[in-house]
Amino acid sequence: MNSLNRSGLKNTKARAAILKILQQSNRPLSAEEIYDGLVKCNIHVNASTVYRALTALCDKKLIGKTNVTGDKKSFFEYNAKGHRHYLICSECKKIITIERCPLRAYEKMLELETNFTISGHKLSIYGSCPECKDK
Ligand SMILES: [Zn+2]
Ligand SMILES: [Zn+2]
């Protein structure tokens, strides 16, 4: 019973810290990066606690999950509701969030041309980040 309580507490603390880490990040983070962030905050939990906390936060829609890099790896971000795009480094898989959308006018034009009612789009842009480019 006692250990259950303890893990419940740990879990809550981890959740609050995860939210804070994601809030302060301007890009989606992988579970590993979040785990490292927790360690830096002196919060020592095991990986499964981190995954459980991430799943719970996703279920509550407090954070969003995306897997933009094209492989199975998931990234998490705070308030993923807004429309955004991603710039992804093909080498180190770093992700930059782009809040500007260049496609609104294009959608309007397509609607006129095709008579579709367009409900949305996805766009990710790939390349080499400055660090990888210099290697
Ligand atoms: Zn890179
Ligand atoms: Zn867009």
Side-chain angles (χ1 to χ4, degrees), residues 89 91-94 128-129 131-132:
C89 175
E91 283 156 76
C92 68
K93 309 287 185 201
K94 181 186 353 240
S128 300
C129 74
E131 288 82 36
C132 291

Side-chain angles (χ1 to χ4, degrees), residues 15 31 66 68 90 110 115 120 125-126 128 134:
R15 279 186 208 182
T66 133
V68 283
S90 311
L110 277 179
N115 216 14
I125 301 169
Y126 296 86
S128 300
D134 288 345

Side-chain angles (χ1 to χ4, degrees), residues 37-135:
L38 288 172
V39 172
K40 273 191 208 122
C41 297
N42 259 319
I43 297 169
H44 297 278
V45 288
N46 55 36
S48 67
T49 305
V50 174
Y51 279 107
R52 269 206 309 277
L54 286 170
T55 308
L57 290 168
C58 281
D59 286 348
K60 295 215 167 90
K61 306 260 188 302
L62 288 166
I63 59 171
K65 189 174 169 178
T66 133
N67 75 7
V68 283
T69 47
D71 49 33
K72 289 220 171 65
K73 199 167 176 183
S74 295
F75 290 84
F76 300 87
E77 65 183 335
Y78 188 74
N79 184 17
K81 269 178 260 154
H83 181 75
R84 72 226 9 230
H85 295 289
Y86 299 104
L87 186 58
I88 301 158
C89 175
S90 311
E91 283 156 76
C92 68
K93 309 287 185 201
K94 181 186 353 240
I95 303 173
I96 308 285
T97 303
I98 307 159
E99 309 265 358
R100 274 166 312 177
C101 175
L103 291 176
R104 304 269 195 222
Y106 185 59
E107 282 188 341
K108 283 271 163 286
M109 198 187 81
L110 277 179
E111 281 189 332
L112 286 174
E113 275 179 8
T114 63
N115 216 14
F116 264 61
T117 300
I118 291 172
S119 52
H121 60 258
K122 283 185 176 172
L123 169 73
S124 296
I125 301 169
Y126 296 86
S128 300
C129 74
E131 288 82 36
C132 291
K133 210 167 57 183
D134 288 345
K135 262 183 220 156

